[in-house]
Amino acid sequence: MPDNIKKEIFKKVEDYFAAKKPASSQKIGVAYPCFDHREVNQALDSLLDMWISQGPKVKAFEGSFAKYVGTTHGVGCNSGSSANLLALTALIQAGHLNPGDEVIVPAATFTTVISPILQTGLIPVFVDVEMETYNIDPKAIAKAITQKTKLIMVVHSLGCPAKMRQIMDIADKHGIPVLEDCCEAHGSAIDGQLVGSFGLISTFSFFVAHNMTTGEGGMIMTSDEPLHEILRSIREFGRLTKYEVGQPRFYYKDENLTQYDERYVFTNIGYNFRMTDIAASLGIEQLKKLNGFNAERVNIANFYGNTLCEYKEFLMLPMTPDGNFHSFYGYPIVIKESAPFTRHQLANYLEKNNIETRAFMGGDLSKQPAYVNAGWKKPFDMPNTDIMLSNAFFIGSHPFINVDQRNHIVATFKKFFSTLEAPPK
């Protein structure tokens, strides 16, 4: 399409978004699609140029996101769940794991962490989280390691970095690789080093609710060249990825194939988890905004904390360990045992006042119906996970929550506490 016509279309989109204002009266969600004309025009550019599947913008997004995270490679895919499944499959095909091996993982997390472990024939070993960060407890990891432990899977919950220095020390001592699930932690960091760059391999999700979005989408990050090649292959049917430069078409041959079309040679058993250029278009623009988005999330979290600390007798509010950057995918709250009310009562009160809430993911995956008899292990009691299951929830902290909405949220908490027979002082 001629550039002048494109410019006219892009200008109309820009004008539309300039006039579009989010309604302050609508329900305050835990998430919101935070995009504008820039993302739409990037996607339109792909559509107008007829690039609707995986193409040059996927490659560009992979490169820019890998540079941002601090890894050599990124492999885009269609979701964070697929990213975890691809990462685990690649670790098996590269010889780091075998079906039947055990993976230490937090029990208080989301289903897309656990399901791919089971789907690849591995055995989840559930351990407790720490209340300081709601993340996997390094002491619990060290205690749970056996000769069958072949992977530690860390989840940076709601944007708070897990204690990666301690975890990597444990992993290095035992020669165990680490997979970081960063699906809720875009831009989170420890002493300036971004999560996703500590372990052998890491995963991200770009779901609409997350700190940056492509609608649906994910990416696997690694600096390991063999893993990168396997990931590229199994993302796309298991295709041959290394072509012989300068060869004419139909050059491939081995003991079974002769002069075969190299584009239809499959060297691995794979999936079709490709990212589209339309999704990558959104990601290219979202990445430019990520640091600003995260700064606003921190501002909102600080506003909540400075106001709600009045009720710290009954509410455990999130904290950020020294040296860490917490990107606050959501704002978690834990009801203390001393509280004269339940999570159910507070969450329902917030919902009735147009403030959306969510439980802390699966709470304890070992108690979810899908996993009760799924073949996991739980070597020790998990008292903190029990607390998260019963008493934890989170509210939104996304950057499109405006000042009026923030004030409404804290005012609603105040009203709730004023209804108690003996409100805290």
Side-chain angles (χ1 to χ4, degrees):
M1 176 173 287
D3 287 344
N4 63 321
I5 298 177
K6 276 188 180 182
K7 288 179 180 179
E8 289 180 16
I9 295 172
F10 295 164
K11 184 62 169 62
K12 289 181 183 294
V13 173
E14 184 175 353
D15 292 343
Y16 169 80
F17 275 91
K20 179 180 172 62
K21 302 293 182 185
S24 297
S25 60
Q26 67 189 25
K27 192 164 189 175
I28 305 169
V30 296
Y32 192 84
C34 300
F35 66 88
D36 60 20
H37 68 280
R38 296 171 182 84
E39 287 85 350
V40 174
N41 284 339
Q42 273 276 11
L44 277 173
D45 183 62
S46 292
L47 287 166
L48 295 173
D49 287 346
M50 308 301 287
W51 278 105
I52 61 173
S53 185
Q54 181 176 290
K57 288 191 177 178
V58 171
K59 184 176 181 179
F61 182 37
E62 290 171 338
S64 59
F65 196 70
K67 183 178 180 180
Y68 176 81
V69 172
T71 59
T72 306
H73 303 293
V75 178
C77 60
N78 62 349
S79 72
S81 174
S82 296
N84 279 338
L85 184 54
L86 283 168
L88 291 165
T89 302
L91 287 168
I92 290 171
Q93 293 196 15
H96 294 282
L97 297 171
N98 291 297
D101 287 342
E102 295 182 357
V103 180
I104 293 177
V105 66
T109 189
F110 193 59
T111 179
T112 54
V113 177
I114 306 305
S115 289
I117 296 173
L118 295 165
Q119 288 161 345
T120 50
L122 301 166
I123 299 172
V125 177
F126 290 126
V127 300
D128 207 2
V129 296
E130 54 179 15
M131 293 308 300
E132 181 185 24
T133 64
Y134 314 134
N135 287 320
I136 192 167
D137 186 344
K139 296 189 294 295
I141 293 174
K143 190 177 178 182
I145 289 175
T146 69
Q147 290 184 342
K148 296 182 179 180
T149 305
K150 301 301 179 183
L151 182 68
I152 298 168
M153 190 166 179
V154 178
V155 183
H156 303 286
S157 298
L158 294 183
C160 185
K163 292 181 177 176
M164 291 307 301
R165 306 276 185 217
Q166 296 92 318
I167 292 169
M168 293 307 300
D169 284 346
I170 294 167
D172 291 343
K173 177 182 176 181
H174 294 276
I176 301 171
V178 172
L179 164 56
E180 294 179 74
D181 182 313
C182 310
C183 290
E184 303 166 11
H186 315 69
S188 298
I190 302 168
D191 297 325
Q193 182 177 349
L194 266 63
V195 300
S197 64
F198 288 89
L200 175 64
I201 192 168
S202 63
T203 57
F204 287 81
S205 169
F206 304 119
F207 179 61
V208 68
H210 292 172
N211 296 50
M212 59 174 287
T213 184
T214 60
E216 299 281 356
M219 197 174 293
I220 310 100
M221 321 305 296
T222 188
S223 294
D224 184 274
E225 193 61 40
L227 277 177
H228 173 236
E229 288 300 323
I230 293 170
L231 286 165
R232 286 181 58 224
S233 174
I234 63 176
R235 167 185 64 180
E236 189 175 351
F237 314 115
R239 284 188 193 277
L240 175 73
T241 58
K242 287 189 174 180
Y243 297 113
E244 293 184 22
V245 178
Q247 289 284 349
R249 287 292 316 284
F250 296 92
Y251 74 81
Y252 185 85
K253 63 179 181 179
D254 59 22
E255 62 270 23
N256 297 308
L257 300 175
T258 302
Q259 293 185 321
Y260 205 76
D261 187 342
E262 65 278 4
R263 295 177 303 179
Y264 286 88
V265 174
F266 305 98
T267 56
N268 296 285
I269 296 173
Y271 310 94
N272 179 13
F273 288 161
R274 290 176 294 184
M275 176 180 276
T276 69
D277 259 28
I278 299 169
S281 297
L282 304 183
I284 288 168
E285 294 299 326
Q286 286 273 292
L287 182 56
K288 298 173 185 176
K289 301 176 180 180
L290 178 58
N291 288 343
F293 281 167
N294 283 343
E296 191 60 20
R297 286 176 179 272
V298 172
N299 287 339
I300 294 170
N302 288 340
F303 177 72
Y304 293 159
N306 292 337
T307 309
L308 299 181
C309 64
E310 179 180 353
Y311 311 114
K312 62 183 179 181
E313 180 182 356
F314 300 133
L315 302 180
M316 182 183 298
L317 304 177
M319 54 82 65
T320 301
D322 290 342
N324 285 11
F325 181 78
H326 188 325
S327 63
F328 284 101
Y329 162 64
Y331 188 82
I333 297 171
V334 179
I335 311 300
K336 293 184 178 180
E337 295 295 330
S338 59
F341 56 89
T342 65
R343 176 182 62 185
H344 178 77
Q345 289 172 311
L346 177 54
N348 275 353
Y349 188 85
L350 295 172
E351 294 277 354
K352 288 176 183 177
N353 284 275
N354 287 327
I355 301 165
E356 193 173 37
T357 68
R358 290 285 189 275
F360 190 86
M361 304 305 166
D364 178 351
L365 269 296
S366 72
K367 295 181 179 179
Q368 288 284 346
Y371 303 109
V372 169
N373 297 308
W376 44 263
K377 293 183 179 180
K378 185 168 66 175
F380 310 107
D381 291 338
M382 302 185 297
N384 292 338
T385 299
D386 291 338
I387 293 171
M388 302 303 290
L389 174 66
S390 302
N391 292 357
F393 71 100
F394 68 94
I395 59 175
S397 55
H398 64 79
F400 277 28
I401 299 177
N402 62 40
V403 173
D404 289 341
Q405 291 172 325
R406 299 171 202 184
N407 288 331
H408 172 70
I409 289 170
V410 297
T412 302
F413 274 92
K414 288 180 179 291
K415 288 179 183 177
F416 174 81
F417 281 102
S418 72
T419 65
L420 301 177
E421 291 184 7
K425 297 180 180 179

